[in-house]
Amino acid sequence: MVMFNEIRNKIFTSKVKLEPFPYIFIKNIFDKEYVKKLNDSLPSYKDLVGNDVMFQSKSQSKKTILPSSAKYKKLSKIKEVRDLNTNFEKLKIKIISKFKQQIHQYVKKKINPKNLKYHSSYSVMVKGYKKSPHLDRRDHLIHMIYYSDSNSEKGGEIILNKISRNENNEFDIFPSKNSLKVFKKYKVSKNCLLIILNVPWAYHSVKFYRGKKDRKYFYMVYDFPIKKSGSVVKNRKKGFNVNDYWKNKVSVKSKIRKKIFLTE
């Protein structure tokens, strides 16, 4: 309960930044003792093997296990991981309320926060990882990245991109470089949390990571109540990625840029 109250207060007192899209960034969200125990319990890049480990690009510089996988279900039984998920599930209403005004402005269908589903996945990235600007999956209302471990001095900064032009009020999932600019850059340090309201212009990217140390992180979401969740591997493989809740539409406007993104 003490840990819950501490992180709730940190989130409660954090300011929502509106540019280039609504987000919150918090350093040192958990106490050092908890973070050490968590990192000691988490598998490394080399430890993650098997059919239910997912590569999200052909470079194979990042491995992910989704909540539907046997490996993640086993991982979630570890006390520190269970505590992480329990806390952020309890914080759902509080975190959503931080973005209440923006949700009212940008979401076309009224939603009950109690009906939004929480889940998380676990990923490890290694030297060579990078990601060009993109939008995350449409089934997320809010997505959060908690970096439990990382070498912040070896690249891999997370970039918040701002769109400089838009056509017909419809957004491109994989935008061209000349349509964006770097708005804000954050070093990814151990024990930091990024919370993003997943609006259709929430473009972000990751610079080339040069560190020898594994970057471990949890990707946590509050999902719209849709039938085919992206938390299930088979839905990912079938390419399901639809959202009828946002007022603005998104689409893939260049198969070439999509291919580049998937092969980085």
Side-chain angles (χ1 to χ4, degrees), residues 52-90:
D52 54 357
V53 175
M54 187 174 72
F55 289 106
Q56 291 185 294
S57 66
K58 289 186 178 180
S59 70
Q60 298 190 350
S61 54
K62 183 175 82 169
K63 292 179 179 179
T64 297
I65 48 176
L66 296 178
S68 62
S69 70
K71 277 187 172 55
Y72 188 86
K73 289 176 181 177
K74 183 177 180 181
L75 183 70
S76 65
K77 293 178 181 179
I78 296 172
K79 181 183 183 303
E80 287 70 29
V81 178
R82 188 172 68 247
D83 288 345
L84 179 79
N85 285 324
T86 298
N87 279 313
F88 279 95
E89 189 147 22
K90 285 183 178 179

Side-chain angles (χ1 to χ4, degrees), residues 5-122:
N5 289 334
E6 287 179 353
I7 62 174
R8 181 187 60 186
N9 291 338
K10 286 182 180 180
I11 291 170
F12 180 77
T13 56
S14 296
K15 183 179 179 181
V16 174
K17 298 183 179 181
L18 300 178
E19 291 289 337
F21 46 78
Y23 77 96
I24 298 170
F25 185 78
I26 305 173
K27 293 182 178 180
N28 300 316
I29 185 71
F30 293 109
D31 66 72
K32 292 181 180 179
E33 183 180 354
Y34 167 78
V35 176
K36 184 181 185 308
K37 289 180 180 179
L38 176 64
N39 284 321
D40 287 346
S41 70
L42 294 175
S44 67
Y45 181 90
K46 291 181 179 179
D47 292 334
L48 288 178
V49 293
N51 294 332
D52 54 357
V53 175
M54 187 174 72
F55 289 106
Q56 291 185 294
S57 66
K58 289 186 178 180
S59 70
Q60 298 190 350
S61 54
K62 183 175 82 169
K63 292 179 179 179
T64 297
I65 48 176
L66 296 178
S68 62
S69 70
K71 277 187 172 55
Y72 188 86
K73 289 176 181 177
K74 183 177 180 181
L75 183 70
S76 65
K77 293 178 181 179
I78 296 172
K79 181 183 183 303
E80 287 70 29
V81 178
R82 188 172 68 247
D83 288 345
L84 179 79
N85 285 324
T86 298
N87 279 313
F88 279 95
E89 189 147 22
K90 285 183 178 179
L91 284 164
K92 180 176 67 171
I93 303 299
K94 175 60 66 178
I95 290 174
I96 291 172
S97 70
K98 293 285 290 186
F99 299 95
K100 182 179 180 180
Q101 184 177 345
Q102 292 75 39
I103 291 172
H104 178 74
Q105 185 175 356
Y106 302 131
V107 176
K108 68 180 181 182
K109 294 183 180 180
K110 188 174 182 179
I111 54 173
N112 183 345
K114 292 182 180 179
N115 293 334
L116 300 182
K117 294 184 178 180
Y118 168 82
H119 66 80
S120 70
S121 60
Y122 172 67

